Amino acid sequence: MSDLLTYAYAVVRNAEGLREATGPLRGVADSPVSLLTASGDDQLGLVVSHVPGQDFQEDALKQHLEDLEWLEAVARAHHGVIEALGERTTVLPLRLATVYLDDNRAREVLEAGRTMFAERLARLSEHVEWGVKIYVEPSAAPAAPAVPAADLTPGRAYLRSRRQQQSVRDTVYQAAQKAAERVEAAGRKHASDRVRHRVQQGLLADAAGAVGENVVNDAYLVPLKRCDDFLADVTHAADGLDGVRVEATGPWAPYSFAMPLDESGGAAATEGAPP
């Protein structure tokens, strides 16, 4: 067995000059990128490179996925290839660390799914992905007016303070719900689709440098011609709402709306757009 595996980045709609454009690209493990096409049909392509099996075979990959530094390097290289491709053609991004035993196996999967891939690429044409996150920051909301507590015991004063804090939190979360409704209305008006992701917590939130608690983490598929209008509505979704912040990121290749290949030879490590 070869000590190299085939790493797949994306299915693409072939375009004039695309094969030549992939030549200078370097992907994961600083490996040269190339374009595979199906036998007798060069309308679709699979963008690949070759990576060391010692790092990407199943057992090794499971260990590497717990190494945030290694994972970040792979994710950046993966994303860099997809972004470069997206400047030239419609891209169907694949999940991070999708690998196959060799080019022949990868080409077989491309050929088997050509109808589905062509339909999906047609749907994604002239679209980009925007991420929308909503954060709540109760400490940023104005506190209720202080009430003299001279006649209260320490215990009663503490309980009243806790009730006041809870009231502020409840108000902020209600405001976040209103912001979410405004964002969803913008999506219905301007976007073609939406995917809800798990909110960022723990290490993922820390790595993203999040301030406040993430309560909404959605992705929207937006036609290029509607991006400005979508962003204008999303940007104002938190207007007049204390303690609520809306953050839009993008445009990205449509990671959240792409179907992965049959991953019998690989593994999926991430979902959604890059943080």
Side-chain angles (χ1 to χ4, degrees):
M1 178 184 297
S2 170
D3 60 354
L4 293 178
L5 299 175
T6 297
Y7 185 110
Y9 298 88
V11 178
V12 297
R13 177 181 290 169
N14 206 351
E16 185 177 354
L18 183 61
R19 186 179 297 276
E20 292 74 17
T22 60
L25 297 179
R26 310 291 292 192
V28 174
D30 198 35
S31 57
V33 174
S34 60
L35 179 68
L36 300 179
T37 54
S39 300
D41 182 2
D42 62 356
Q43 297 302 304
L44 296 180
L46 181 62
V47 179
V48 303
S49 67
H50 298 111
V51 295
Q54 64 189 26
D55 289 328
F56 286 88
Q57 288 175 349
E58 186 174 0
D59 290 342
L61 186 58
K62 287 180 179 179
Q63 295 181 10
H64 278 312
L65 294 181
E66 298 178 359
D67 181 344
L68 292 182
E69 184 175 345
W70 184 92
L71 185 59
E72 181 181 2
V74 171
R76 287 186 181 278
H78 182 98
H79 178 60
V81 170
I82 290 175
E83 288 296 288
L85 296 169
E87 295 177 0
R88 288 182 169 269
T89 188
T90 303
V91 179
L92 185 65
L94 302 181
R95 292 176 184 265
L96 195 71
T98 297
V99 293
Y100 295 92
L101 292 178
D102 52 36
D103 287 0
N104 288 334
R105 173 55 185 152
R107 187 179 283 109
E108 288 172 1
V109 175
L110 176 64
E111 293 174 350
R114 72 176 71 188
T115 299
M116 179 191 67
F117 297 140
E119 291 174 352
R120 178 65 55 148
L121 284 166
R123 176 173 175 267
L124 298 180
S125 180
E126 300 297 317
H127 285 70
V128 291
E129 176 174 332
W130 286 93
V132 180
K133 297 181 176 68
I134 298 179
Y135 296 91
V136 294
E137 303 174 55
S139 61
V147 178
D151 57 340
L152 297 179
T153 65
R156 288 181 178 273
Y158 171 78
L159 290 175
R160 185 173 67 181
S161 174
R162 294 290 293 172
R163 285 195 296 269
Q164 290 173 338
Q165 292 174 4
Q166 186 61 49
S167 176
V168 171
R169 287 183 60 85
D170 290 345
T171 300
V172 170
Y173 279 94
Q174 290 170 7
Q177 178 61 40
K178 183 174 294 185
E181 291 169 356
R182 293 175 181 175
V183 170
E184 290 172 6
R188 289 191 297 270
K189 185 177 180 182
H190 303 297
S192 301
D193 201 355
R194 178 186 71 172
V195 169
R196 285 187 165 175
H197 295 304
R198 289 174 293 180
V199 296
Q200 293 183 329
Q201 297 176 323
L203 290 176
L204 187 58
D206 293 341
V211 177
E213 179 187 353
N214 181 213
V215 294
V216 170
N217 183 16
D218 291 350
Y220 287 87
L221 184 66
V222 184
L224 290 173
K225 61 184 179 181
R226 303 302 296 270
C227 285
D228 289 345
D229 292 334
F230 174 76
L231 288 176
D233 287 351
V234 167
T235 299
H236 294 290
D239 286 0
L241 303 175
D242 293 324
V244 178
R245 178 168 57 88
V246 177
E247 177 184 283
T249 59
W252 310 111
Y255 289 90
S256 298
F257 304 90
M259 295 178 61
L261 295 176
D262 172 10
E263 296 178 4
S264 58
T270 62
E271 60 180 15

